[in-house]
Amino acid sequence: MFGIGGGELIFILFIVLMLFGSDKVPEMARTMGKAMAQLKHATNDIKNEIQKGAEANGLDQKSLSDLTGGFNAEIEKAKQSLLGDSTNSITNLANDITSEINQAAKSTVADAKESADAINNQAEGPVKRQM
């Protein structure tokens, strides 16, 4: 109940008993019970008035659920289209980046091979160390 354990509830009751005394606690509990009952009765009255007003204007629970169901269906369609579009664009972007990386790697390997061939062609005989 409200995330309160048994020990905590007993401690709270003990503090209430110490603050208000044993003669006031039952009176406070009765007052709280009456207040909760009045609150429940008032919320039920408000709910009934809203339902009567809706029925008087031609709206019932079924038409309201049909109306909101239509909105929910449209929201789901929009969400799916947005998710589908973003997924496709991300996939296309990843494919483009991958192809650019592959082309850059191929050109770098080709340049390195050409440089190595040029060095080999220039060198005549063994490479000498300079001191």
Side-chain angles (χ1 to χ4, degrees):
M1 180 170 96
F2 304 115
I4 298 175
E8 294 166 339
L9 188 60
I10 291 172
F11 182 71
I12 291 170
L13 290 175
F14 178 73
I15 296 298
V16 168
L17 184 63
M18 294 301 290
L19 287 175
F20 298 106
S22 61
D23 56 337
K24 293 281 184 178
V25 172
E27 182 181 327
M28 288 174 39
R30 263 192 301 274
T31 304
M32 291 292 286
K34 287 179 183 178
M36 294 296 285
Q38 287 177 349
L39 181 64
K40 185 176 179 181
H41 182 69
T43 56
N44 285 338
D45 285 345
I46 292 171
K47 194 184 300 183
N48 289 335
E49 287 296 321
I50 290 172
Q51 286 177 350
K52 285 178 185 176
E55 289 172 2
N57 290 325
L59 297 174
D60 58 351
Q61 288 288 38
K62 186 177 184 320
S63 65
L64 288 175
S65 66
D66 290 344
L67 181 65
T68 58
F71 288 142
N72 290 339
E74 289 299 319
I75 289 170
E76 284 299 317
K77 282 183 198 175
K79 189 189 325 182
Q80 290 301 324
S81 78
L82 287 175
L83 288 176
D85 292 345
S86 64
T87 303
N88 290 337
S89 64
I90 290 171
T91 303
N92 292 338
L93 182 62
N95 289 338
D96 291 344
I97 290 171
T98 303
S99 65
E100 287 179 18
I101 289 172
N102 287 336
Q103 288 174 356
K106 286 178 185 177
S107 68
T108 302
V109 169
D111 290 344
K113 187 176 180 182
E114 287 176 12
S115 296
D117 288 342
I119 291 172
N120 283 337
N121 290 337
Q122 289 176 356
E124 295 178 13
V127 178
K128 296 181 182 178
R129 292 187 183 175
Q130 295 178 353
M131 294 196 164

